[in-house]
Amino acid sequence: MGQGAFIFGCAGARLEPREARFFREADPWGFILFARNVDTPDLLYRLTNELREAVGREAPILIDQEGGRVQRMREPDWREFLPPMEQVDLTLERHGEEGALRAMWLRGRLIAEDLHDVCIDVNCAPTLDVARPDTHPFLRNRCFSDSPDLVAAMGQALVEGMAAGGVAAVMKHLPGHGRGTVDSHLGLPRVTADLEELQTDFAPFKALNDLPMAMSAHIVIDAIEPEVPATHSEKAIALIREEIGFGGLLMTDDVSMEALSGTVVERAQRAIAAGCDLALHCNGDMAEMEALAALGALGEAAQTRANAAADARPTYEPIDIREIDAEFRSLTG
């Protein structure tokens, strides 16, 4: 039997016996951590190892460590970073594109160092959404730029920096969330642009379509399928696979977000039926996870993509981290 078609979280900084028993039975493909799970480095290291022990394998462990508002591990134990857009703007102005790209690689390598030290091997980044003047504030400065080419270049630099530190990337949010003017944690954004206009949104994802993992967008795109969010849209998933050309493991954004309607189980079922491989459930609520376990195992094609994604996790390359840190500080001030 294959692994479960879901990624789960846990409630706190320590794994409870009940959680360990449940994970052993449900066998989620991977786990995701949030600020509630982060205490001291020693406790976080212990938690990641206990999660893997529960399922009896080196399950992927994910986190959102983008920088800015979205970083679960913070000072004083870990580095903190500017929002991506602020760093890009600052380094472009001071050092030009070459210096900005170097700073983004260094950022990725430093993020990876912090994650690798506590056995986290997947970061839900880069955000490849193309920013616009009206992009909702929950997302806007998490983007790199309003230039699709620059978004792709910065995303690639971040991915390569993280990979050098042994951390895999999850690009998000396919097929593009930058035109959203509603926070999808609270409501359902809608995009009215036509397909020709949307090519700018698709471009960064096309440029990085060989990455092994990606995350869907909870956003309605009228030109693809009106009234149905991309996460639940067979047409949107087909566009991701065929036009954007992404062949890797496609997970949903968090099925607890209010952009989706129905119970969390119904939300996950619709996503899997539409063509997503995995349902991402983040809040650690045991009752919801027990219900979601009824989704069962990954389908054959999804399991193949999941195996490839797990195997593609990069190998850590030792480096003089003090030298890297100093160079990064010199570029970003």
Side-chain angles (χ1 to χ4, degrees):
M1 186 174 177
Q3 293 139 17
F6 31 78
I7 296 169
F8 285 156
C10 58
R14 296 171 182 261
L15 189 65
E16 298 297 328
R18 181 189 174 193
E19 292 175 318
R21 289 192 298 271
F22 168 68
F23 292 147
R24 190 170 298 113
E25 294 173 4
D27 196 16
W29 180 75
F31 299 97
I32 187 163
L33 301 179
F34 277 75
R36 67 177 184 273
N37 308 119
V38 176
D39 195 328
T40 65
D42 285 347
L43 280 175
L44 187 52
Y45 179 88
R46 175 180 170 180
L47 177 62
T48 56
N49 281 274
E50 287 178 342
L51 288 168
R52 291 190 171 111
E53 287 170 8
V55 293
R57 57 185 165 82
E58 287 298 303
I61 296 183
L62 293 69
I63 199 166
D64 294 283
Q65 193 74 353
E66 297 176 10
R69 181 169 50 84
V70 181
Q71 49 189 341
R72 314 308 182 192
M73 297 158 58
R74 292 186 174 272
E75 292 179 344
D77 293 309
W78 296 282
R79 298 169 180 85
E80 294 197 28
F81 298 87
L82 291 170
M85 183 177 286
E86 289 185 26
Q87 180 180 310
V88 171
D89 288 347
L90 182 153
T91 52
L92 276 175
E93 181 180 351
R94 293 182 179 179
H95 308 288
E97 186 167 338
E98 184 177 347
L101 288 168
R102 176 62 179 169
M104 192 57 66
W105 187 95
L106 294 166
R107 176 190 181 105
R109 183 61 187 81
L110 290 168
I111 289 173
E113 189 74 12
D114 284 345
L115 302 190
H116 179 266
D117 283 349
V118 290
C119 300
I120 297 170
D121 55 9
V122 181
N123 191 17
C124 295
T127 299
L128 296 184
D129 304 309
V130 178
R132 297 172 56 81
D134 57 349
T135 300
H136 192 280
F138 101 92
L139 179 65
R140 180 173 163 75
N141 71 357
R142 296 165 58 194
C143 305
F144 293 117
S145 172
D146 59 4
S147 160
D149 290 343
L150 194 57
V151 169
M154 291 296 164
Q156 186 65 46
L158 185 75
V159 167
E160 291 176 1
M162 293 194 301
V167 172
V170 178
M171 64 175 176
K172 57 191 186 186
H173 308 82
L174 275 82
H177 208 308
R179 294 177 189 267
T181 58
V182 172
D183 181 349
S184 53
H185 294 86
L186 306 175
L188 180 58
R190 174 180 300 278
V191 172
T192 58
D194 61 32
L195 282 175
E196 184 176 351
E197 294 175 287
L198 289 169
Q199 294 306 312
T200 58
D201 302 67
F202 303 157
F205 298 108
K206 288 183 178 181
L208 277 73
N209 65 9
D210 60 346
L211 289 181
M213 288 179 276
M215 183 183 293
S216 70
H218 297 337
I219 188 168
V220 170
I221 302 175
D222 285 347
I224 300 174
E225 187 169 2
E227 308 304 326
V228 181
T231 298
H232 288 164
S233 168
E234 290 185 40
K235 293 180 179 178
I237 305 304
L239 181 144
I240 288 168
R241 295 298 190 194
E242 296 163 14
E243 182 171 345
I244 290 176
F246 175 68
L249 184 70
L250 182 63
M251 64 189 73
T252 70
D253 204 344
D254 184 9
V255 293
S256 300
M257 292 164 64
E258 293 307 311
L260 304 181
S261 60
T263 67
V264 290
V265 175
E266 291 167 341
R267 297 171 187 186
Q269 288 172 332
R270 290 173 195 155
I272 301 296
C276 290
D277 295 316
L278 286 164
L280 176 65
H281 181 266
C282 296
N283 65 24
D285 182 279
M286 179 60 78
E288 291 185 357
M289 291 190 294
E290 289 173 338
L292 282 164
L295 289 171
L298 289 156
E300 184 177 352
Q303 184 70 66
T304 298
R305 289 189 285 265
N307 290 345
D311 291 344
R313 285 174 290 180
T315 302
Y316 177 84
E317 301 171 13
I319 202 167
D320 185 337
I321 202 66
R322 290 173 298 180
E323 183 178 313
I324 292 295
D325 207 352
E327 183 185 358
F328 179 72
R329 292 174 184 275
S330 74
L331 287 170
T332 61

